[in-house]
Amino acid sequence: MIYLDNAASTRLDDEVLTAMMPYLKENYGNAQSQHAAGRASANAVMSARDKIASLAGCKPEEVFFVSGGTEAGNTALKGVCALHKKGHLVLSSIEHASLSESALDMQKLGFEVTFVQPESDGAVRAENIAKAMREDTIFCAVMAANNETGVIQPVEEIGKICRERGVFFYSDCVQTAAYLPLPVGFADGMGFSSHKFYGPKGSGALILRNRNNVLRLISGGMQEMGFRGGTVNTAGIVGTAAAYERACTSRETVNAYVKGLRDKFINRVLTEIAGTRLNGSLEKMLPSIANISFDGCDGENILFLLDLKGVCVSTGAACAAGAVSPSDTLTSMGCGIKEAKSAVRFSFGKHNTEEEVDVAFEALKFAVEKIRNN
Ligand code: PLP
């Protein structure tokens, strides 16, 4: 199998599994328990929190372990709304469903929502976010980079605009946590999932610079400093910290390696297969993602033929796969319906090899020719 869907999920690193194992086998105590087994768990969670805080550049008490990016986004958006009880939200129109659907839920409760479109390069403009803001704006969400195109968003500028206006700014860092530092100096809230960078699924973090700005979503026991009830996932948390540490300490090397593979693939596709277009501006892209449209093809058909050859790719967001409608992200960048439907996302990771890139390219060329000749 050639796995080119690393933006959807990645393979757990052996070292991360090794770090997690003791907390699945020997140290299985509940981190809330008042005995040696509980203390072993609690200490592991405390070290994981310290590690993430020092790598991210924030305080340990600002790091909350959650189940991943979806919970992080829901908690921030709904938690700000719950405190304000009414108001206006500004989101980019290319947010992951965890933010956009949360905003639509809040709209049903009486909050007003404005979605701001990106430009054709895939990035939203800070001035358009500023224009969308109103006196009663309480919350703004712009992701650090888009999951379909990999285009990096101007979060520093947007963060400054939000700060000047006293608007809570959330940046979904699920796709960038491995590749870029977290925007702790510009955002009030940030979230990530460890399975995007060779950690375990169902585990991630929400960083809140001031927890008092957000009402907790999950009430229960005193876990996570009273902010998120429920027995903590000790092994997942240990794995998250181990994976994040590995991502941060190997960032330069991994970024360069993955970019090399991705750029080689893009070059081959754009020069050797006619009628192909890269969606989004390459200069603004994460090193890992290539979203390409293929004239005269349906992305779903390409995915199917590649799957038959053992190559795993995606047509846009994994959570939206199977949906017949074209990607909102691509259409909001100005792609036509046909062009958007013909798009395929290839996402590369550190476990991929050059040879895999070449084999995947040949399979892709064959698939596109087959579809076009039908
Ligand atoms: N945000 C972005 C940008 C994503 O790409 C994803 C997952 O693909 C999520 C949020 C949700 O992450 P999870 O499913 O781990 O909660």
Side-chain angles (χ1 to χ4, degrees):
M1 180 177 85
I2 298 179
Y3 186 81
L4 298 184
D5 201 14
N6 291 278
S9 201
T10 55
R11 188 174 93 201
L12 190 73
D13 266 345
D14 292 343
E15 293 79 358
V16 174
L17 179 62
T18 304
M20 292 170 68
M21 280 311 269
Y23 300 95
L24 292 165
K25 303 269 268 184
E26 302 96 44
N27 299 329
Y28 47 79
N30 185 323
Q32 291 294 105
S33 298
Q34 307 293 307
H35 46 58
R39 281 193 297 277
S41 250
N43 285 338
V45 173
M46 192 169 70
S47 312
R49 202 185 311 282
D50 288 346
K51 193 179 278 179
I52 290 181
S54 92
L55 291 162
C58 65
K59 297 189 191 116
E61 59 270 27
E62 295 171 352
V63 178
F64 299 92
F65 289 111
V66 294
S67 61
T70 300
E71 186 185 328
N74 270 261
T75 304
L77 187 148
K78 293 175 183 170
V80 169
C81 287
L83 277 188
H84 286 265
K85 299 192 181 69
K86 60 180 179 166
H88 173 240
L89 319 178
V90 176
L91 279 80
S92 85
S93 67
I94 56 172
E95 291 304 297
H96 183 263
S98 49
L99 272 306
S100 56
E101 288 293 317
S102 292
L104 295 175
D105 286 351
M106 293 300 99
Q107 204 172 36
K108 288 183 197 128
L109 297 181
F111 290 87
E112 290 184 67
V113 185
T114 303
F115 289 103
V116 176
Q117 310 263 344
E119 300 300 311
S120 58
D121 62 1
V124 292
R125 298 290 182 268
E127 60 265 30
N128 291 340
I129 295 285
K131 274 189 216 144
M133 290 209 176
R134 309 191 320 207
E135 276 296 298
D136 61 342
T137 304
I138 54 169
F139 178 92
C140 172
V142 178
M143 64 205 327
N146 181 262
N147 45 303
E148 291 183 53
T149 60
V151 173
I152 298 167
Q153 307 297 318
V155 291
E156 180 172 343
E157 271 177 90
I158 294 168
K160 284 182 188 152
I161 291 168
C162 290
R163 190 148 297 169
E164 276 163 24
R165 295 169 194 231
V167 173
F168 184 99
F169 177 46
Y170 182 77
S171 190
D172 174 340
C173 298
V174 170
Q175 291 297 337
T176 57
Y179 298 104
L180 301 171
L182 293 168
V184 285
F186 318 110
D188 301 298
M190 287 139 276
F192 64 76
S193 295
S194 65
H195 70 101
K196 305 288 186 182
F197 48 86
Y198 316 99
K201 291 179 180 54
S203 187
L206 166 65
I207 294 179
L208 289 176
R209 301 315 310 267
N210 179 358
R211 64 179 279 179
N212 296 324
N213 290 330
V214 178
L215 190 70
R216 67 186 177 190
L217 190 65
I218 302 181
S219 312
M222 286 310 290
Q223 293 93 351
E224 292 304 287
M225 303 162 279
F227 188 76
R228 186 214 190 227
T231 302
V232 298
N233 173 7
T234 310
I237 289 169
V238 168
T240 294
Y244 190 59
E245 183 173 38
R246 289 174 66 75
C248 291
T249 52
S250 62
R251 188 171 275 151
E252 266 180 46
T253 331
V254 171
N255 284 11
Y257 178 71
V258 172
K259 186 173 185 304
L261 297 180
R262 193 274 314 261
D263 288 352
K264 177 179 185 189
F265 184 78
I266 291 179
N267 278 337
R268 289 205 70 184
V269 174
L270 299 187
T271 56
E272 296 179 46
I273 306 179
T276 49
R277 253 173 328 284
L278 182 70
N279 293 311
S281 154
L282 189 58
E283 291 77 53
K284 294 187 176 178
M285 256 174 227
L286 287 176
S288 49
I289 295 182
N291 187 307
I292 302 175
S293 285
F294 297 85
D295 286 352
C297 298
D298 197 300
E300 292 284 333
N301 290 338
I302 297 179
L303 183 148
F304 177 72
L305 289 179
L306 287 180
D307 192 27
L308 287 180
K309 298 259 179 197
V311 180
C312 305
V313 297
S314 154
T315 53
C319 336
V324 210
S325 54
S327 146
D328 285 341
T329 298
L330 297 183
T331 50
S332 67
M333 285 161 59
C335 265
I337 305 273
K338 269 196 183 157
E339 206 179 342
K341 277 191 154 189
S342 78
V344 178
R345 179 186 73 181
F346 306 88
S347 49
F348 300 82
K350 66 178 181 180
H351 297 306
N352 291 127
T353 62
E354 264 199 51
E355 196 196 343
E356 285 183 332
V357 170
D358 289 331
V359 175
F361 170 77
E362 293 304 334
L364 174 66
K365 195 167 174 217
F366 174 83
V368 171
E369 276 165 13
K370 190 168 170 146
I371 294 166
R372 286 181 180 164
N373 291 334
N374 253 340

